[in-house]
Amino acid sequence: MPADLDGWQAATELMRKPLMMVQDFMRGMTRAFAVAAAFGFSSEVIAQSIQLGMPIACEPGRTCYIQNYVDVDPSASTQDYKCGTLTYDAHNGTDFRLPSLASQKAGVEVLASASGRVLRTRGDAPDGAFSKSAREAVRDVECGNGAVIEHPDQWETQYCHMASGSLMVKPGDLVKAGQPLGRVGLSGMTEYPHLHFTVRHKGAIVDPFAYGAPAGSCGSGALLWHPALHARLAYQERVVINAGFTNGPVTMERVEDGSEGKELPSASAPAIVAFVRVIGLKTGDTQRLVIKDPIGNVIAENRASQLDRNKAQYLLFTGKKRPATGWERGTYKAMYVVERDGRVVLQRDLEFTL
């Protein structure tokens, strides 16, 4: 499934739309000092880089995952700040993805990443997962519901795809770091629930994971995130975002809506099935998913073909129908492994007790 399509035009459209209530009144260092004074910032702080907190109320690697980073390759090719594949052409922000629609519907707040003043907002775009056939429906509102916040020294942050009717701020409001702005939604050009977060300095896109990195470098530059977030936001090439057991065939729709795996197989289950959904798989990766019964026998296995291209996401499952003698009582275990060049690069273990 393609990632969202928020390019530079999409991200800047929110700032240009006639419906925006306040024009850009940040004009150089004079305005930056005025905003800083409102929040008690010193001149020394203004001269430093911005320090960012989490822009979404989630736990990276557990309740949210980074699907895409800024595309740092200016050509038609793509490359994230680690010279990896977690981006797409002209992507200008960081995508914090929720694991399912169920988690989005439960309500996940979008937070001000740093203190500042709200410049522009939109809150009336409808929710609804974008599809390629509906591109015209989101023309000029690709960011969906969102907000732009100005910070000292001509820094800006932008927050996209919030839920319709969830916006909690308006242009001119002063906000503190960590203050809720709205909730993650499905507005604008997005196929799955996530926050698209963009950082700009003096109007130019900045990668918060590689500020000031020389062109063509891999993993250099400065992190703009608060030091307490560095470990939590560590780069992960491949990530399992959904995994579990169920009692029948697995579909992407049920995984996405959060219903797959909610109920574990029972003694009368017609089948025992294990599944995983993974993001960030690469060309050349091989996958296998194995289920073992309580005495250690392999009862199901799926060895997927070597990938011929990078995958934004991939669903793999395997299972076994109930034998005539019924299920053995005890703990069933599943192991998912991704290998590359004979080396294990990702592993996830699961178990449940019958």
Side-chain angles (χ1 to χ4, degrees):
M1 178 169 65
D4 75 356
L5 303 176
D6 282 321
W8 167 254
Q9 180 180 0
T12 56
E13 191 59 38
L14 180 58
M15 299 193 297
R16 294 199 301 262
K17 291 297 289 177
L19 62 85
M20 296 303 99
M21 298 172 62
V22 177
Q23 294 186 353
D24 188 356
F25 51 86
M26 177 182 247
R27 293 292 185 267
M29 292 303 296
T30 301
R31 185 69 188 105
F33 272 88
V35 175
F39 289 94
F41 294 126
S42 67
S43 299
E44 181 181 357
V45 171
I46 294 174
Q48 297 174 353
S49 299
I50 192 171
Q51 189 171 85
L52 303 172
M54 279 292 290
I56 176 174
C58 64
E59 183 179 339
R62 194 179 72 84
T63 60
C64 67
Y65 308 87
I66 296 180
Q67 176 83 47
N68 293 296
Y69 294 89
V70 173
D71 177 19
V72 299
D73 190 322
S75 72
S77 298
T78 62
Q79 184 173 281
D80 63 38
Y81 79 102
K82 285 282 193 178
C83 296
T85 66
L86 301 180
T87 189
Y88 59 88
D89 192 30
H91 190 247
N92 70 353
T94 305
D95 290 341
F96 291 87
R97 177 178 184 165
L98 301 183
S100 68
L101 288 170
S103 57
Q104 182 267 321
K105 291 176 181 177
V108 178
E109 290 182 328
V110 174
L111 310 174
S113 186
S115 298
R117 186 185 300 272
V118 178
L119 285 178
R120 301 167 187 80
T121 63
R122 180 189 293 118
D124 59 356
D127 280 305
F130 161 81
S131 64
K132 289 182 179 179
S133 62
R135 184 180 299 274
E136 287 301 315
V138 296
R139 183 175 294 279
D140 296 334
V141 289
E142 288 89 348
C143 178
N145 299 311
V148 176
I149 300 175
E150 67 166 349
H151 311 282
D153 197 25
Q154 303 181 68
W155 288 90
E156 288 183 355
T157 54
Q158 181 171 356
Y159 311 75
C160 293
H161 308 315
M162 284 192 258
S164 180
S166 74
L167 207 63
M168 302 177 188
V169 294
K170 63 184 184 301
D173 285 353
L174 300 181
V175 294
K176 294 289 188 180
Q179 180 176 328
L181 305 176
R183 297 190 306 276
V184 176
L186 277 168
S187 61
M189 194 175 288
T190 176
E191 294 182 82
Y192 50 81
H194 74 283
L195 169 70
H196 176 92
F197 176 68
T198 298
V199 181
R200 299 185 186 88
H201 187 222
K202 299 181 180 179
I205 296 298
V206 170
D207 186 344
F209 290 88
Y211 178 54
S217 63
C218 299
S220 63
L223 290 171
L224 296 183
W225 304 101
H226 189 283
L229 296 175
H230 290 186
R232 295 167 59 191
L233 293 175
Y235 185 83
Q236 293 182 288
E237 288 188 295
R238 306 162 183 83
V239 183
V240 175
I241 65 171
N242 304 97
F245 288 94
T246 186
N247 57 13
V250 178
T251 67
M252 187 69 83
E253 291 74 20
R254 283 176 55 82
V255 173
E256 184 58 46
D257 69 22
S259 59
E260 203 72 270
K262 289 189 69 174
E263 294 185 14
L264 294 174
S266 65
S268 60
I272 290 178
V273 179
F275 68 91
V276 292
R277 180 165 61 160
V278 193
I279 60 176
L281 293 175
K282 322 296 181 190
T283 303
D285 286 352
T286 59
Q287 306 170 81
R288 57 187 171 93
L289 179 59
V290 177
I291 303 177
K292 293 184 179 181
D293 67 15
I295 58 177
N297 295 321
V298 174
I299 62 171
E301 182 175 11
N302 187 348
R303 289 181 176 268
S305 300
Q306 186 179 70
L307 295 179
D308 60 357
R309 63 185 185 276
N310 298 330
K311 296 288 185 179
Q313 68 173 0
Y314 196 100
L315 176 64
L316 188 70
F317 62 93
T318 190
K320 178 180 175 61
K321 292 183 178 180
R322 185 179 65 231
T325 55
W327 298 113
E328 291 279 349
R329 296 286 184 165
T331 299
Y332 288 77
K333 297 182 178 182
M335 181 177 67
Y336 170 71
V337 174
V338 180
E339 293 185 350
R340 184 177 185 83
D341 300 326
R343 179 173 61 91
V344 174
V345 293
L346 180 63
Q347 181 171 330
R348 178 70 174 268
D349 297 317
L350 310 167
E351 65 177 49
F352 81 98
T353 301
L354 188 64

